[in-house]
Amino acid sequence: MKSYEHDGIDLEDGKTGKSGDKPIQRKIHNRALLSGLAYCISSCSMILVNKFVLSSYNFNAGIFLMLYQNFVSVIIVVGLSLMGLITTEPLTLRLMKVWFPVNVIFVGMLITSMFSLKYINVAMVTVLKNVTNVITAVGEMYLFNKQHDNRVWAALFLMIISAVSGGITDLSFNAVGYAWQIANCFLTASYSLTLRKTMDTAKQVTQSGNLNEFSMVLLNNTLSLPLGLLLSFSFNEMDYLYQTPLLRLPSFWMVMTLSGLLGLAISFTSMWFLHQTGATTYSLVGSLNKIPLSIAGIVLFNVPTSLQNSASILFGLVAGVVFARDKMREKS
């Protein structure tokens, strides 16, 4: 993937191509820094707020939480589209039929993420998510005949070692949480592997022949509402919601609404950051961002840990950075 360019400006390295044009170069660097900070803060805050809702409030309706977050996203995206600030594709029946199978995987991915986050600390969730890269790489090899070089496989092997050692040394190990996280890894990899083909098919049934990020956010979140509602009834969450006093607390609704806003903010800030920098910087920052997230998760939620477990977590985070670097080298 090449760097984004605009009016002769290479947004990946900040060079304008014109000597002595330092104000423009400084402006580009400032925008890149601001967009990067916004992306990091929103992505970290989303996971931490979800963990706070599920664990600190002891909220036992993860599907409803996902449902409410997606509802908030739909309302905001539709509002921005009506005001003409963003452009979205009309949600036709043909488009929804094409997108529905991948949306089922999307909903499963979000729900399993909620369930795992309730039982596992943030740092271990971050390390275990690296297993998704292993599943995706194997899937690419068998489904698309895509070959990876030895450095990529070495990084993936390090991820497996860190996940296993982290689980063994996890002082707050929870078998149910780990089972949900393993399911989440398979669903996330499946979503990644099927998304590109589904996008190509979906573009053929849209009015403009294109499908931008805003349209995908609206499509995914809209289709997830009836499915999420059905699953919420199936898991008997409605009985719990009727009885829990949490829904009578305005502060709880504020925190849940904040989680929905942060979920949408990740979509907007990731597009902004990618446009201001490029795929290389975006990928590296995404991997490095897991380090402060893991530390914050341990500190804020008073997670019991040991030297061995901390070393396993750090080992897994470094393996993620190495993997991102090797994948970029492989592409180049």
Side-chain angles (χ1 to χ4, degrees), residues 11-271:
L11 296 176
E12 182 68 56
D13 58 14
K15 295 179 181 178
T16 62
K18 300 177 183 179
S19 59
D21 211 350
K22 291 183 179 179
I24 297 178
Q25 187 175 350
R26 189 180 301 112
K27 187 176 181 181
I28 294 170
H29 282 149
N30 290 339
R31 285 179 179 176
L33 179 61
L34 184 61
S35 61
L37 284 173
Y39 167 67
C40 291
I41 291 172
S42 60
S43 59
C44 285
S45 300
M46 174 67 176
I47 296 177
L48 295 173
V49 170
N50 280 344
K51 179 66 175 176
F52 180 70
V53 172
L54 295 168
S55 296
S56 298
Y57 273 108
N58 196 27
F59 187 61
N60 295 318
I63 301 175
F64 177 78
L65 177 60
M66 179 273 299
L67 190 65
Y68 183 75
Q69 290 174 348
N70 292 359
F71 176 73
V72 170
S73 296
V74 169
I75 294 298
I76 294 176
V77 171
V78 170
L80 293 175
S81 179
L82 292 175
M83 289 186 289
L85 298 176
I86 61 173
T87 303
T88 57
E89 290 292 329
L91 301 186
T92 62
L93 184 60
R94 289 183 63 194
L95 179 59
M96 288 189 287
K97 282 183 178 180
V98 169
W99 201 264
F100 181 74
V102 76
N103 184 257
V104 173
I105 302 175
F106 172 76
V107 171
M109 180 180 70
L110 294 183
I111 291 175
T112 53
S113 177
M114 292 290 187
F115 287 165
S116 66
L117 195 59
K118 180 174 178 59
Y119 298 106
I120 311 178
N121 66 75
V122 173
M124 278 310 303
V125 166
T126 304
V127 171
L128 291 172
K129 280 183 179 292
N130 284 338
V131 178
T132 302
N133 295 322
V134 180
I135 301 171
T136 304
V138 174
E140 288 175 339
M141 185 175 64
Y142 282 101
L143 296 176
F144 307 117
N145 294 320
K146 183 177 181 180
Q147 301 300 319
H148 301 286
D149 60 32
N150 292 332
R151 288 176 299 189
V152 171
W153 287 114
L156 292 172
F157 180 73
L158 294 177
M159 289 179 179
I160 295 175
I161 295 296
S162 67
V164 173
S165 61
I168 293 173
T169 58
D170 187 2
L171 298 180
S172 56
F173 179 85
N174 185 291
V176 175
Y178 273 71
W180 282 118
Q181 185 54 50
I182 292 172
N184 176 257
C185 291
F186 277 96
L187 287 168
T188 304
S190 301
Y191 182 73
S192 175
L193 292 169
T194 58
L195 183 61
R196 175 55 58 186
K197 184 177 180 180
T198 305
M199 284 177 61
D200 293 338
T201 306
K203 289 176 182 178
Q204 298 173 9
V205 298
T206 58
Q207 293 183 0
S208 66
N210 195 14
L211 192 68
N212 60 24
E213 179 75 17
F214 301 114
S215 298
M216 284 193 290
V217 169
L218 180 61
L219 190 57
N220 258 333
N221 288 293
T222 301
L223 288 177
S224 71
L225 297 181
L227 185 57
L229 192 61
L230 177 63
L231 289 172
S232 188
F233 274 105
S234 301
F235 279 76
N236 294 320
E237 285 190 351
M238 293 304 164
D239 293 335
Y240 167 78
L241 293 172
Y242 180 76
Q243 297 174 3
T244 180
L246 290 174
L247 296 185
R248 293 189 286 272
L249 297 176
S251 60
F252 181 72
W253 282 103
M254 288 178 62
V255 175
M256 282 216 306
T257 303
L258 175 62
S259 67
L261 294 174
L262 288 171
L264 187 60
I266 293 175
S267 298
F268 285 101
T269 56
S270 61
M271 284 188 293

Side-chain angles (χ1 to χ4, degrees), residues 140 146 148 152 323-331:
E140 288 175 339
K146 183 177 181 180
H148 301 286
V152 171
F323 172 76
R325 185 195 63 182
D326 290 340
K327 281 288 287 183
M328 289 184 295
R329 286 180 177 177
E330 185 182 60
K331 288 179 181 180

